[in-house]
Amino acid sequence: MNKTTGLSPFDMHCHVGTWQTPDFCHRSTGLGDLTTLYERLGFAGALITTTDMADNTGLAHEIEAYSGPLDLRFAFWVLPANLNELNKLAGHVAALKIHPSFLRRPVSDPAFKPFLAMARSMGWPVVVHCGRWQEVAGFELALDTARQWPEVNFVLSHMGGDAPCLVHDTVDRIVRLGIKNVFLGTESIRQFDLVQYAVSRLGAARVVFGSDYNLNSPSAFVHVVLDAELTTEENELILYRNARDLLTQA
Ligand SMILES: [Zn+2]
């Protein structure tokens, strides 16, 4: 439990490994860096995926070997060509991660169909990166895909896109179309009013705390949620209950 907040957050969006893209200055951390930090911060656990190196097998086994107080879960980083690896690792997997921008393909691309079918049969949530590149990583593509796979829960990263108007548009479209199987991840969202907006229109059960560690500081994003001045129950839903519910359906 965190000494300041009295809460034990679960982080639904973490990366471990080394980034290839120069955009992140080749940032590199190991699992030990994460566990040392998250234990010190009093977190309950984290859903961890790889970087753009997609070292799924290495990370899955590292997580398996961890024996500390944190509840660590593994999210498989999808590549169009790594379905065989997913089949081999299926027993370690808690969720899928699809990053359309890095893969330069929208989540609606037929290449992802076998992965979504596997998520459906295994009960895994699918975390989809959403950003400003609307033709590839736009929230509308993610929402359309969610409507085509109603038995799969989708978590839209960055609450649908890391820009205030994109978040508003994402929330409004979910409400208008009555989409039930979509959740919004708070990673990289710095404006507490966006959390308030999503909670007021969708309810706290549809917002899931994430930080985007190793690119962001986890506690900074806990405070974005807390600054929204929600009820204790709403904070608990966002900071750990929703993640736990999503991950225990598997
Ligand atoms: Zn991320």
Side-chain angles (χ1 to χ4, degrees), residues 13-15 19 24 49-50 77 97 99 129 157-158 187-188 211-213 215:
H13 192 129
C14 302
H15 301 275
W19 289 97
F24 302 150
T49 190
T50 66
W77 181 287
K97 168 68 183 266
H99 201 305
H129 169 83
S157 297
H158 317 299
E187 52 283 330
S188 311
S211 76
D212 223 348
Y213 172 88
L215 302 169

Side-chain angles (χ1 to χ4, degrees), residues 78-152:
V78 171
L79 299 176
N82 69 2
L83 189 63
N84 283 343
E85 188 183 23
L86 176 60
N87 276 304
K88 281 189 202 139
L89 292 176
H92 301 266
V93 171
L96 299 184
K97 168 68 183 266
I98 298 180
H99 201 305
S101 300
F102 279 125
L103 302 176
R104 310 186 80 77
R105 293 169 190 253
V107 65
S108 52
D109 191 287
F112 298 125
K113 273 191 182 169
F115 294 91
L116 296 176
M118 195 146 167
R120 181 174 58 192
S121 66
M122 301 296 284
W124 297 327
V126 178
V127 180
V128 182
H129 169 83
C130 292
R132 301 180 193 202
W133 186 11
Q134 292 302 290
E135 296 79 9
V136 171
F139 67 91
E140 292 189 30
L141 293 163
L143 294 181
D144 288 349
T145 303
R147 293 174 80 201
Q148 282 161 18
W149 295 82
E151 304 97 336
V152 178

Side-chain angles (χ1 to χ4, degrees), residues 132-194:
R132 301 180 193 202
W133 186 11
Q134 292 302 290
E135 296 79 9
V136 171
F139 67 91
E140 292 189 30
L141 293 163
L143 294 181
D144 288 349
T145 303
R147 293 174 80 201
Q148 282 161 18
W149 295 82
E151 304 97 336
V152 178
N153 286 319
F154 289 82
V155 182
L156 272 54
S157 297
H158 317 299
M159 295 182 78
D162 188 8
C165 292
L166 291 178
V167 174
H168 275 250
D169 290 350
T170 303
V171 170
D172 294 348
R173 193 170 174 84
I174 293 170
V175 172
R176 184 155 25 91
L177 298 177
I179 304 171
K180 301 291 182 217
N181 58 323
V182 165
F183 298 76
L184 300 180
T186 66
E187 52 283 330
S188 311
I189 296 297
R190 300 167 301 284
Q191 304 90 336
F192 64 79
D193 57 288
L194 297 179

